[in-house]
Amino acid sequence: MSSREETDSMGTVMVPGGAYYGAQTGRAIDNFFVSGRRMPIELIRGLALIKRHAALVNANLGLVDKDLAAAIEKSAAEVMEGRHDEQFPVDVFQTGSGTSTNMNMNEVLATRANEMLTGERQTKGPVHPNDHVNCGQSSNDVMPSALHLAAMQQLRQGLIPALCDLHSALEEKAVAFRNIRKIGRTHLQDAVIMTLGDEFSGYAAQMNLALERVNACQPRLCRMALGGTAVGNGLNAHPDFAGRVVAALEAATDIPFVEAPNHFEAQGACDAAVETSGVMKTIAVGMMKIANDIRWLASGPRCGLGEINLPALQPGSSIMPGKVNPVIPEAVIQASAQVIGNDAAITAGGLGGVFELNTMLPMVGDNLLQSIVLLGNAAVALTDKCVTGITANAAVCTGNIEKSLAIVTNMVPYIGYDRAADIAGQAYAEGRTIEAVALENNIMPPEELKRVLYGGRNDPWLLNKT
């Protein structure tokens, strides 16, 4: 493979001849081969969008020649379209400000712009990566801005629609199952009668609250650090630069981005990312609970609970013929666990804010974007490949009610706790049903007994009946 010589303030670096990146990216590739994981493509494209509008604003402010700015804008558009994804090889675990990724972008856009203008793949002329592409910016303000932009886009384009669909699917099941009576469970033990619809209504409510939590964190995530440059005081940035770029980003994305009211907070901390990650963790915990409940309710098919049936998607065993596993709930549980782990890393990343800069931003960005994407994809899978195809096994639900000891609770308002406990103890010891033991002890007439045991909630007036 041919190579070409590039230079930076530290000297000469050889890069592949076909690369659009230059010396600083070349050094980063050599220095930061830690994980083999590249920066999230969502962040790369968000960064390109910022550079695109920064070039246009700088041209309008008279800070960058209009022809050069137009070439930068076209180059950024190509990156946003995914035409140069391979040109961003820098490892996630790099300099804590994300400077290597910012310079990777600056060099790619400059070189591609120069190719458009001169026909030659050169990094520094006539478009310069620092003087033109990075005009009015620092890695310290542009990288957190790119993270916020990418996170908001993924929330609105991916996670929120997925959670809405999951919420709707769960609500539909809550309605469909509203008349299917079953035994509730607490402490993994039989509890009182409820409906399968009640159970699914709880899951639907969890996802509705998940949407509320996502919406609540967005105003902080919409704050952009742009304009603060190196430490937050805006050195070398035109006073109108940040406001105009942020307004352009708002218009381009239909997301209400605003310039951060305090740039020192926006660059010295990453509290909005930590907050958003906390929301992602909460949603992950909720989705894990739902997925785990569903796989238990469907356990069996003959020796488990078996109260619901899940869609059969694939053979479940390499050794046991005919076995079908709850594969989608299990995948959701694993994705949720990853999000919970990501939150721990992001929390540690929040502690990387020292004085005027957080120096764990690339890791925070990688984990946060992964969490958002994972939850969105998991929600889609849970909805489309599991929840919508769930059916109820009403016969099993009814049979469980009849043999449960917990239904003796319905008799407490009539005969008191202690006498009800005696009946439950006798039924358990003799392997009989509550109904059979109650009839034997002449607790109440048979028809009234059936109504009390299997009639659901006691009416308030029954509490006064002796």
Side-chain angles (χ1 to χ4, degrees):
M1 179 185 295
S2 63
S3 59
R4 73 173 190 273
E5 186 178 279
E6 291 283 346
T7 61
D8 60 12
S9 60
M10 297 183 70
T12 300
V13 177
M14 301 303 295
V15 301
Y20 282 116
Y21 55 77
Q24 292 204 39
T25 303
R27 292 189 192 279
I29 294 170
D30 290 338
N31 290 334
F32 302 124
F33 190 77
V34 177
S35 67
R37 289 163 48 190
R38 299 183 176 190
M39 290 293 285
I41 200 63
E42 299 86 1
L43 190 146
I44 293 297
R45 292 177 184 170
L47 181 57
L49 179 60
I50 291 173
K51 299 291 183 180
R52 180 181 189 178
H53 288 287
L56 296 175
V57 167
N58 279 324
N60 290 333
L61 291 172
L63 302 174
V64 174
D65 178 84
K66 290 187 181 296
D67 291 338
L68 303 188
I72 296 170
E73 188 272 336
K74 291 177 183 177
S75 301
E78 290 183 355
V79 171
M80 292 168 58
E81 293 166 3
R83 293 171 59 180
H84 304 297
D85 289 354
E86 75 284 354
Q87 297 296 324
F88 299 93
V90 178
D91 201 278
V92 167
F93 298 97
Q94 54 170 282
T95 177
S97 60
T99 298
S100 294
T101 290
N102 185 38
M103 283 307 305
N104 187 179
M105 180 65 71
N106 291 336
E107 290 176 342
V108 168
L109 297 186
T111 304
R112 178 65 183 121
N114 290 329
E115 185 177 52
M116 291 178 182
L117 293 169
T118 68
E120 296 184 14
R121 198 167 292 194
Q122 54 193 21
T123 303
K124 293 189 176 181
V127 176
H128 192 283
N130 300 81
D131 295 339
H132 301 124
V133 182
N134 202 59
C135 181
Q137 305 152 60
S138 164
S139 301
N140 301 352
D141 66 349
V142 77
M143 290 301 294
S145 298
L147 169 56
H148 283 208
L149 189 155
M152 281 299 303
Q153 287 182 314
Q154 292 306 306
L155 287 177
R156 294 204 168 189
Q157 296 170 11
L159 181 59
I160 291 175
L163 291 178
C164 286
D165 289 345
L166 179 55
H167 171 254
S168 296
L170 291 166
E171 278 214 320
E172 288 175 9
K173 295 301 174 182
V175 172
F177 300 155
R178 66 186 180 277
N179 294 322
I180 298 176
R181 296 159 59 73
K182 58 160 286 179
I183 285 293
R185 294 178 181 86
T186 59
H187 303 275
L188 298 181
Q189 305 296 303
D190 299 347
V192 299
I193 297 173
M194 60 185 295
T195 71
L196 193 59
D198 291 336
E199 204 153 36
F200 274 78
S201 76
Y203 306 149
Q206 280 186 279
M207 290 302 97
N208 186 55
L209 290 170
L211 287 164
E212 288 185 13
R213 292 183 175 101
V214 173
N215 289 331
C217 75
Q218 288 185 52
R220 270 80 64 195
L221 203 57
C222 281
R223 294 178 177 180
M224 291 283 201
L226 277 175
T229 63
V231 299
N233 63 6
L235 179 68
N236 292 347
H238 190 286
D240 294 336
F241 170 79
R244 292 193 185 188
V245 174
V246 171
L249 293 172
E250 179 182 9
T253 61
D254 198 28
I255 298 173
F257 291 115
V258 296
E259 185 178 351
N262 187 297
H263 288 276
F264 302 101
E265 179 276 334
Q267 294 174 214
C270 60
D271 292 352
V274 174
E275 176 190 11
T276 304
S277 177
V279 170
M280 297 304 104
K281 178 183 71 174
T282 304
I283 296 172
V285 170
M287 286 180 61
M288 182 178 284
K289 184 263 194 296
I290 294 168
N292 203 37
D293 276 12
I294 285 173
R295 73 184 184 120
W296 275 107
L297 291 172
S299 60
R302 295 187 177 178
C303 299
L305 299 181
E307 293 182 347
I308 63 174
N309 309 298
L310 304 186
L313 299 180
Q314 63 187 57
S317 174
S318 61
I319 189 174
M320 293 174 280
K323 192 169 187 290
V324 180
N325 294 334
V327 292
I328 296 301
E330 288 175 358
V332 170
I333 288 167
Q334 292 176 81
S336 298
Q338 182 64 59
V339 171
I340 293 167
N342 288 351
D343 181 67
I346 292 168
T347 301
L351 300 174
V354 180
F355 301 124
E356 281 65 61
L357 181 65
N358 183 288
T359 54
M360 296 179 72
L361 193 68
M363 182 277 292
V364 168
D366 180 53
N367 280 276
L368 180 59
L369 290 169
Q370 185 193 56
S371 291
I372 296 170
V373 172
L374 272 177
L375 286 178
N377 292 341
V380 169
L382 188 59
T383 301
D384 295 347
K385 294 183 178 294
C386 184
V387 173
T388 56
I390 289 175
T391 58
N393 196 335
V396 171
C397 292
T398 299
N400 287 338
I401 291 173
E402 292 173 351
K403 65 185 180 183
S404 171
L405 300 178
I407 60 172
V408 77
T409 307
N410 291 13
M411 300 173 63
V412 170
Y414 299 88
I415 63 176
Y417 186 97
D418 290 341
R419 193 175 181 195
D422 290 340
I423 291 173
Q426 181 182 347
Y428 178 73
E430 297 175 1
R432 302 166 66 194
T433 66
I434 294 294
E435 182 180 0
V437 173
L439 285 171
E440 180 182 277
N441 286 275
N442 297 313
I443 298 300
M444 58 184 68
E447 289 305 315
E448 185 176 1
L449 178 65
K450 284 184 178 290
R451 180 178 62 80
V452 169
L453 288 180
Y454 308 121
R457 297 173 179 170
N458 287 318
D459 294 325
W461 67 268
L462 292 177
L463 296 176
N464 297 319
K465 187 177 177 68
T466 59

